[in-house]
Each structure stands twice: as structure tokens, then as C-alpha cells.
mmCIF file of all heavy atoms in Angstrom:
data_model
loop_
_atom_site.group_PDB
_atom_site.id
_atom_site.type_symbol
_atom_site.label_atom_id
_atom_site.label_comp_id
_atom_site.label_asym_id
_atom_site.label_seq_id
_atom_site.Cartn_x
_atom_site.Cartn_y
_atom_site.Cartn_z
ATOM 1 N N ASP A 1 -5.969 -4.752 4.771
ATOM 2 C CA ASP A 1 -7.012 -3.806 5.193
ATOM 3 C C ASP A 1 -7.108 -2.631 4.231
ATOM 4 O O ASP A 1 -8.206 -2.211 3.856
ATOM 5 C CB ASP A 1 -6.735 -3.287 6.604
ATOM 6 C CG ASP A 1 -6.991 -4.313 7.694
ATOM 7 O OD1 ASP A 1 -7.558 -5.388 7.398
ATOM 8 O OD2 ASP A 1 -6.595 -4.045 8.847
ATOM 9 N N LEU A 2 -5.970 -2.081 3.835
ATOM 10 C CA LEU A 2 -5.979 -0.948 2.905
ATOM 11 C C LEU A 2 -6.542 -1.356 1.551
ATOM 12 O O LEU A 2 -7.322 -0.618 0.939
ATOM 13 C CB LEU A 2 -4.580 -0.366 2.737
ATOM 14 C CG LEU A 2 -4.050 0.412 3.919
ATOM 15 C CD1 LEU A 2 -2.614 0.853 3.674
ATOM 16 C CD2 LEU A 2 -4.929 1.620 4.215
ATOM 17 N N HIS A 3 -6.155 -2.514 1.080
ATOM 18 C CA HIS A 3 -6.681 -3.024 -0.193
ATOM 19 C C HIS A 3 -8.207 -3.123 -0.135
ATOM 20 O O HIS A 3 -8.909 -2.673 -1.040
ATOM 21 C CB HIS A 3 -6.061 -4.385 -0.502
ATOM 22 C CG HIS A 3 -6.749 -5.116 -1.599
ATOM 23 N ND1 HIS A 3 -6.611 -4.772 -2.921
ATOM 24 C CD2 HIS A 3 -7.599 -6.182 -1.568
ATOM 25 C CE1 HIS A 3 -7.346 -5.586 -3.666
ATOM 26 N NE2 HIS A 3 -7.944 -6.442 -2.863
ATOM 27 N N ARG A 4 -8.712 -3.701 0.939
ATOM 28 C CA ARG A 4 -10.151 -3.897 1.092
ATOM 29 C C ARG A 4 -10.882 -2.554 1.284
ATOM 30 O O ARG A 4 -11.904 -2.298 0.648
ATOM 31 C CB ARG A 4 -10.421 -4.831 2.277
ATOM 32 C CG ARG A 4 -11.859 -5.253 2.420
ATOM 33 C CD ARG A 4 -12.076 -6.302 3.505
ATOM 34 N NE ARG A 4 -11.460 -5.981 4.785
ATOM 35 C CZ ARG A 4 -10.325 -6.533 5.232
ATOM 36 N NH1 ARG A 4 -9.673 -7.413 4.510
ATOM 37 N NH2 ARG A 4 -9.833 -6.207 6.406
ATOM 38 N N LEU A 5 -10.348 -1.699 2.126
ATOM 39 C CA LEU A 5 -10.986 -0.418 2.428
ATOM 40 C C LEU A 5 -11.040 0.505 1.213
ATOM 41 O O LEU A 5 -12.062 1.129 0.936
ATOM 42 C CB LEU A 5 -10.238 0.295 3.556
ATOM 43 C CG LEU A 5 -10.722 1.697 3.918
ATOM 44 C CD1 LEU A 5 -12.036 1.613 4.678
ATOM 45 C CD2 LEU A 5 -9.672 2.431 4.729
ATOM 46 N N LEU A 6 -9.927 0.599 0.479
ATOM 47 C CA LEU A 6 -9.822 1.558 -0.617
ATOM 48 C C LEU A 6 -10.030 0.925 -1.981
ATOM 49 O O LEU A 6 -10.023 1.622 -2.998
ATOM 50 C CB LEU A 6 -8.464 2.264 -0.556
ATOM 51 C CG LEU A 6 -8.181 2.971 0.773
ATOM 52 C CD1 LEU A 6 -6.781 3.549 0.769
ATOM 53 C CD2 LEU A 6 -9.222 4.039 1.069
ATOM 54 N N GLU A 7 -10.199 -0.395 -2.001
ATOM 55 C CA GLU A 7 -10.453 -1.132 -3.243
ATOM 56 C C GLU A 7 -9.398 -0.841 -4.302
ATOM 57 O O GLU A 7 -9.706 -0.495 -5.442
ATOM 58 C CB GLU A 7 -11.860 -0.828 -3.760
ATOM 59 C CG GLU A 7 -12.939 -1.228 -2.778
ATOM 60 C CD GLU A 7 -14.329 -0.839 -3.225
ATOM 61 O OE1 GLU A 7 -14.475 -0.091 -4.215
ATOM 62 O OE2 GLU A 7 -15.283 -1.288 -2.571
ATOM 63 N N THR A 8 -8.142 -0.970 -3.894
ATOM 64 C CA THR A 8 -7.035 -0.713 -4.800
ATOM 65 C C THR A 8 -5.830 -1.532 -4.384
ATOM 66 O O THR A 8 -5.838 -2.164 -3.327
ATOM 67 C CB THR A 8 -6.687 0.790 -4.815
ATOM 68 O OG1 THR A 8 -5.791 1.055 -5.898
ATOM 69 C CG2 THR A 8 -6.081 1.238 -3.507
ATOM 70 N N ARG A 9 -4.803 -1.496 -5.190
ATOM 71 C CA ARG A 9 -3.555 -2.179 -4.862
ATOM 72 C C ARG A 9 -2.923 -1.516 -3.645
ATOM 73 O O ARG A 9 -2.969 -0.295 -3.519
ATOM 74 C CB ARG A 9 -2.586 -2.069 -6.026
ATOM 75 C CG ARG A 9 -3.110 -2.673 -7.290
ATOM 76 C CD ARG A 9 -2.279 -2.227 -8.482
ATOM 77 N NE ARG A 9 -2.867 -2.718 -9.690
ATOM 78 C CZ ARG A 9 -2.217 -3.434 -10.587
ATOM 79 N NH1 ARG A 9 -0.947 -3.705 -10.425
ATOM 80 N NH2 ARG A 9 -2.831 -3.868 -11.657
ATOM 81 N N ALA A 10 -2.336 -2.322 -2.795
ATOM 82 C CA ALA A 10 -1.688 -1.792 -1.591
ATOM 83 C C ALA A 10 -0.341 -2.475 -1.413
ATOM 84 O O ALA A 10 -0.200 -3.673 -1.677
ATOM 85 C CB ALA A 10 -2.571 -2.027 -0.365
ATOM 86 N N TYR A 11 0.634 -1.697 -0.970
ATOM 87 C CA TYR A 11 2.003 -2.178 -0.837
ATOM 88 C C TYR A 11 2.584 -1.720 0.498
ATOM 89 O O TYR A 11 2.113 -0.754 1.085
ATOM 90 C CB TYR A 11 2.890 -1.616 -1.964
ATOM 91 C CG TYR A 11 2.290 -1.774 -3.329
ATOM 92 C CD1 TYR A 11 1.626 -0.725 -3.945
ATOM 93 C CD2 TYR A 11 2.378 -2.994 -3.997
ATOM 94 C CE1 TYR A 11 1.063 -0.880 -5.202
ATOM 95 C CE2 TYR A 11 1.823 -3.151 -5.260
ATOM 96 C CZ TYR A 11 1.167 -2.093 -5.852
ATOM 97 O OH TYR A 11 0.610 -2.245 -7.095
ATOM 98 N N ALA A 12 3.646 -2.393 0.918
ATOM 99 C CA ALA A 12 4.371 -1.969 2.113
ATOM 100 C C ALA A 12 5.850 -2.272 1.933
ATOM 101 O O ALA A 12 6.219 -3.302 1.371
ATOM 102 C CB ALA A 12 3.853 -2.688 3.354
ATOM 103 N N VAL A 13 6.660 -1.348 2.411
ATOM 104 C CA VAL A 13 8.091 -1.556 2.541
ATOM 105 C C VAL A 13 8.357 -1.505 4.037
ATOM 106 O O VAL A 13 7.970 -0.556 4.714
ATOM 107 C CB VAL A 13 8.900 -0.469 1.793
ATOM 108 C CG1 VAL A 13 10.374 -0.638 2.041
ATOM 109 C CG2 VAL A 13 8.594 -0.533 0.305
ATOM 110 N N GLN A 14 9.010 -2.553 4.546
ATOM 111 C CA GLN A 14 9.186 -2.704 5.993
ATOM 112 C C GLN A 14 10.652 -2.825 6.358
ATOM 113 O O GLN A 14 11.422 -3.520 5.701
ATOM 114 C CB GLN A 14 8.448 -3.950 6.462
ATOM 115 C CG GLN A 14 8.673 -4.281 7.910
ATOM 116 C CD GLN A 14 8.222 -5.685 8.253
ATOM 117 O OE1 GLN A 14 7.574 -6.360 7.471
ATOM 118 N NE2 GLN A 14 8.590 -6.136 9.437
ATOM 119 N N TRP A 15 11.011 -2.162 7.426
ATOM 120 C CA TRP A 15 12.337 -2.300 8.037
ATOM 121 C C TRP A 15 12.129 -2.416 9.534
ATOM 122 O O TRP A 15 11.619 -1.490 10.178
ATOM 123 C CB TRP A 15 13.220 -1.099 7.703
ATOM 124 C CG TRP A 15 14.572 -1.173 8.319
ATOM 125 C CD1 TRP A 15 15.599 -2.009 7.957
ATOM 126 C CD2 TRP A 15 15.048 -0.396 9.414
ATOM 127 N NE1 TRP A 15 16.685 -1.792 8.759
ATOM 128 C CE2 TRP A 15 16.374 -0.794 9.681
ATOM 129 C CE3 TRP A 15 14.482 0.592 10.207
ATOM 130 C CZ2 TRP A 15 17.134 -0.246 10.689
ATOM 131 C CZ3 TRP A 15 15.247 1.145 11.214
ATOM 132 C CH2 TRP A 15 16.558 0.724 11.440
ATOM 133 N N ASN A 16 12.462 -3.572 10.090
ATOM 134 C CA ASN A 16 12.271 -3.848 11.518
ATOM 135 C C ASN A 16 10.838 -3.545 11.931
ATOM 136 O O ASN A 16 9.916 -4.125 11.403
ATOM 137 C CB ASN A 16 13.292 -3.105 12.372
ATOM 138 C CG ASN A 16 14.679 -3.684 12.214
ATOM 139 O OD1 ASN A 16 14.843 -4.863 11.945
ATOM 140 N ND2 ASN A 16 15.693 -2.847 12.364
ATOM 141 N N ASP A 17 10.643 -2.603 12.877
ATOM 142 C CA ASP A 17 9.296 -2.326 13.378
ATOM 143 C C ASP A 17 8.645 -1.117 12.717
ATOM 144 O O ASP A 17 7.679 -0.571 13.234
ATOM 145 C CB ASP A 17 9.318 -2.141 14.898
ATOM 146 C CG ASP A 17 10.100 -0.926 15.335
ATOM 147 O OD1 ASP A 17 10.927 -0.421 14.547
ATOM 148 O OD2 ASP A 17 9.888 -0.470 16.479
ATOM 149 N N LEU A 18 9.158 -0.717 11.546
ATOM 150 C CA LEU A 18 8.596 0.419 10.810
ATOM 151 C C LEU A 18 8.194 -0.020 9.413
ATOM 152 O O LEU A 18 8.858 -0.851 8.795
ATOM 153 C CB LEU A 18 9.615 1.546 10.687
ATOM 154 C CG LEU A 18 10.162 2.113 11.981
ATOM 155 C CD1 LEU A 18 11.242 3.136 11.671
ATOM 156 C CD2 LEU A 18 9.058 2.733 12.810
ATOM 157 N N ALA A 19 7.128 0.564 8.916
ATOM 158 C CA ALA A 19 6.696 0.271 7.550
ATOM 159 C C ALA A 19 6.122 1.541 6.930
ATOM 160 O O ALA A 19 5.626 2.427 7.635
ATOM 161 C CB ALA A 19 5.647 -0.829 7.531
ATOM 162 N N PHE A 20 6.231 1.604 5.629
ATOM 163 C CA PHE A 20 5.538 2.616 4.853
ATOM 164 C C PHE A 20 4.500 1.875 4.032
ATOM 165 O O PHE A 20 4.835 0.978 3.253
ATOM 166 C CB PHE A 20 6.498 3.391 3.947
ATOM 167 C CG PHE A 20 7.413 4.291 4.706
ATOM 168 C CD1 PHE A 20 8.676 3.872 5.078
ATOM 169 C CD2 PHE A 20 6.997 5.568 5.073
ATOM 170 C CE1 PHE A 20 9.519 4.710 5.796
ATOM 171 C CE2 PHE A 20 7.826 6.404 5.800
ATOM 172 C CZ PHE A 20 9.096 5.967 6.161
ATOM 173 N N LEU A 21 3.240 2.220 4.239
ATOM 174 C CA LEU A 21 2.127 1.615 3.527
ATOM 175 C C LEU A 21 1.777 2.532 2.364
ATOM 176 O O LEU A 21 1.650 3.747 2.548
ATOM 177 C CB LEU A 21 0.932 1.460 4.460
ATOM 178 C CG LEU A 21 1.225 0.766 5.800
ATOM 179 C CD1 LEU A 21 0.029 0.882 6.730
ATOM 180 C CD2 LEU A 21 1.614 -0.673 5.581
ATOM 181 N N VAL A 22 1.615 1.977 1.187
ATOM 182 C CA VAL A 22 1.447 2.783 -0.021
ATOM 183 C C VAL A 22 0.254 2.269 -0.816
ATOM 184 O O VAL A 22 0.127 1.064 -1.044
ATOM 185 C CB VAL A 22 2.721 2.728 -0.887
ATOM 186 C CG1 VAL A 22 2.568 3.591 -2.127
ATOM 187 C CG2 VAL A 22 3.953 3.142 -0.091
ATOM 188 N N VAL A 23 -0.591 3.199 -1.251
ATOM 189 C CA VAL A 23 -1.722 2.850 -2.120
ATOM 190 C C VAL A 23 -1.797 3.843 -3.278
ATOM 191 O O VAL A 23 -1.473 5.014 -3.131
ATOM 192 C CB VAL A 23 -3.073 2.841 -1.362
ATOM 193 C CG1 VAL A 23 -3.156 1.676 -0.409
ATOM 194 C CG2 VAL A 23 -3.321 4.134 -0.641
ATOM 195 N N ALA A 24 -2.198 3.311 -4.423
ATOM 196 C CA ALA A 24 -2.401 4.133 -5.617
ATOM 197 C C ALA A 24 -3.685 3.674 -6.285
ATOM 198 O O ALA A 24 -3.915 2.470 -6.431
ATOM 199 C CB ALA A 24 -1.219 3.983 -6.573
ATOM 200 N N ARG A 25 -4.519 4.599 -6.668
ATOM 201 C CA ARG A 25 -5.814 4.266 -7.270
ATOM 202 C C ARG A 25 -5.654 3.841 -8.724
ATOM 203 O O ARG A 25 -6.239 2.869 -9.169
ATOM 204 C CB ARG A 25 -6.733 5.477 -7.174
ATOM 205 C CG ARG A 25 -8.103 5.207 -7.722
ATOM 206 C CD ARG A 25 -9.013 6.409 -7.593
ATOM 207 N NE ARG A 25 -9.136 6.767 -6.199
ATOM 208 C CZ ARG A 25 -9.305 8.010 -5.772
ATOM 209 N NH1 ARG A 25 -9.358 9.002 -6.609
ATOM 210 N NH2 ARG A 25 -9.418 8.261 -4.490
ATOM 211 N N ASP A 26 -4.878 4.575 -9.480
ATOM 212 C CA ASP A 26 -4.699 4.328 -10.904
ATOM 213 C C ASP A 26 -3.800 3.108 -11.119
ATOM 214 O O ASP A 26 -2.741 2.994 -10.490
ATOM 215 C CB ASP A 26 -4.078 5.563 -11.558
ATOM 216 C CG ASP A 26 -3.843 5.379 -13.037
ATOM 217 O OD1 ASP A 26 -4.831 5.458 -13.796
ATOM 218 O OD2 ASP A 26 -2.686 5.137 -13.429
ATOM 219 N N GLY A 27 -4.207 2.214 -12.005
ATOM 220 C CA GLY A 27 -3.448 0.992 -12.246
ATOM 221 C C GLY A 27 -2.036 1.247 -12.747
ATOM 222 O O GLY A 27 -1.088 0.597 -12.301
ATOM 223 N N ASP A 28 -1.866 2.194 -13.671
ATOM 224 C CA ASP A 28 -0.531 2.497 -14.186
ATOM 225 C C ASP A 28 0.359 3.095 -13.097
ATOM 226 O O ASP A 28 1.524 2.738 -12.971
ATOM 227 C CB ASP A 28 -0.604 3.449 -15.388
ATOM 228 C CG ASP A 28 -1.205 2.784 -16.617
ATOM 229 O OD1 ASP A 28 -1.178 1.538 -16.696
ATOM 230 O OD2 ASP A 28 -1.701 3.516 -17.494
ATOM 231 N N VAL A 29 -0.201 4.006 -12.328
ATOM 232 C CA VAL A 29 0.558 4.606 -11.230
ATOM 233 C C VAL A 29 0.913 3.531 -10.215
ATOM 234 O O VAL A 29 2.033 3.474 -9.706
ATOM 235 C CB VAL A 29 -0.235 5.764 -10.566
ATOM 236 C CG1 VAL A 29 0.474 6.274 -9.320
ATOM 237 C CG2 VAL A 29 -0.459 6.898 -11.555
ATOM 238 N N GLY A 30 -0.040 2.650 -9.926
ATOM 239 C CA GLY A 30 0.208 1.558 -8.994
ATOM 240 C C GLY A 30 1.330 0.649 -9.463
ATOM 241 O O GLY A 30 2.188 0.242 -8.675
ATOM 242 N N CYS A 31 1.355 0.333 -10.761
ATOM 243 C CA CYS A 31 2.428 -0.515 -11.304
ATOM 244 C C CYS A 31 3.784 0.178 -11.204
ATOM 245 O O CYS A 31 4.789 -0.450 -10.861
ATOM 246 C CB CYS A 31 2.129 -0.882 -12.755
ATOM 247 S SG CYS A 31 0.807 -2.096 -12.915
#
């Protein structure tokens, strides 16, 4: 959803029932 909404790379780090969703617009920053 984040990838589609913001048109950028989207990532998540998950532990049990918690996650941190991360997006970066710039390709270098995203990498």
C-alpha cells in the first residue's frame, strides 16, 4: 500500500505483532 500510495520503495522490519514501515523517496537514500 505504501509503495503504491507514495510511488516509492517501501520496507518493513517486523517483530511479532509490531512493525516499522519505512519509505524513502530518493533512490540512493532508499538503498
Side-chain angles (χ1 to χ4, degrees):
D1 287 351
L2 288 176
H3 167 75
R4 188 174 49 257
L5 176 74
L6 303 176
E7 299 176 350
T8 192
R9 300 165 185 234
Y11 311 99
V13 175
Q14 174 194 350
W15 179 72
N16 289 331
D17 65 341
L18 302 175
F20 290 94
L21 309 170
V22 181
V23 289
R25 182 179 300 148
D26 179 77
D28 291 338
V29 173
C31 287

